Amino acid sequence: YLPKDGEDTLFDIDEKLGRLIRESGEIIQESDLAVLGAIEKRTIFRFLDEITAGKTPESLRSLDLLRASGLEEARIFAMMARQYRNLTILKTLAGDPSARKKAGLSPYEYDKLVPVARRFSSEALLLANEKIYDVEERAKRLPVDFSGELDALTVELARLAP
């Protein structure tokens, strides 16, 4: 539980929890791991929301929190690619009554992403997908600093947000 009016952020709580775990030296209970997994899951979606809202500093903080939680950067990248792919599909299918089904999205995902897709221009989504593709191609061909690539991509995608 994180109070809305509290000063601690999720990142602060994660830092404190990490420090407690390191200092205690005890094995984490399975239920504690489930809580950490829930935090990770919540954070990946917050991260994606922050990017598409153009919140660069917040998205970089969430990215750091995801890394600190142990989530693989390849998974983070895959979720970014999926988000922009879905936005592009929804933009393309705008007005189609069967768009949700064609996009293969749950009702929740569809309802959440449609307003986001409407805010973006088709050109911005195309450029975002090109940037994602470029990072993927470089990562496949060359030994790149994927961490740096992910940081730069986060900034570039946030800048494309309307």
Side-chain angles (χ1 to χ4, degrees):
Y1 167 66
L2 186 62
K4 288 184 180 181
D5 57 351
E7 291 184 23
D8 282 345
T9 65
L10 207 52
F11 184 78
D12 297 328
I13 291 170
D14 183 64
E15 286 292 311
K16 289 176 186 175
L17 183 59
R19 191 171 350 106
L20 284 172
I21 293 167
R22 284 190 302 276
E23 292 173 4
S24 71
E26 293 185 27
I27 297 174
I28 300 174
Q29 298 294 320
E30 192 171 317
S31 61
D32 296 333
L33 290 175
V35 170
L36 291 174
I39 290 171
E40 180 181 288
K41 186 175 181 180
R42 181 173 164 216
T43 304
I44 187 74
F45 294 114
R46 175 185 287 168
F47 168 66
L48 296 172
D49 290 345
E50 290 165 348
I51 292 174
T52 56
K55 297 179 178 178
T56 304
E58 294 89 341
S59 61
L60 288 171
R61 256 185 263 122
S62 290
L63 179 57
D64 287 340
L65 183 58
L66 289 167
R67 287 175 174 141
S69 76
L71 188 61
E72 295 176 10
E73 290 184 330
R75 176 124 170 92
I76 297 168
F77 177 77
M79 291 297 289
M80 293 168 80
R82 180 182 186 275
Q83 178 86 339
Y84 280 89
R85 183 183 64 237
N86 286 339
L87 291 172
T88 304
I89 290 168
L90 292 176
K91 186 73 172 181
T92 304
L93 296 174
D96 185 334
S98 60
R100 185 186 72 75
K101 190 173 185 177
K102 287 180 181 177
L105 298 172
S106 71
Y108 174 79
E109 286 177 296
Y110 179 80
D111 291 343
K112 187 169 175 152
L113 289 179
V114 165
V116 177
R118 284 186 188 132
R119 287 195 329 256
F120 277 88
S121 68
S122 296
E123 294 77 20
L125 289 171
L126 178 63
L127 187 55
N129 281 290
E130 287 173 356
K131 289 179 181 298
I132 291 166
Y133 176 79
D134 290 344
V135 169
E136 185 175 12
E137 279 299 301
R138 276 194 303 278
K140 286 179 180 177
R141 287 185 289 114
L142 309 165
V144 296
D145 172 19
F146 199 64
S147 183
E149 291 278 342
L150 207 51
D151 288 338
L153 181 62
T154 297
V155 171
E156 289 179 32
L157 293 179
R159 285 185 181 153
L160 290 174

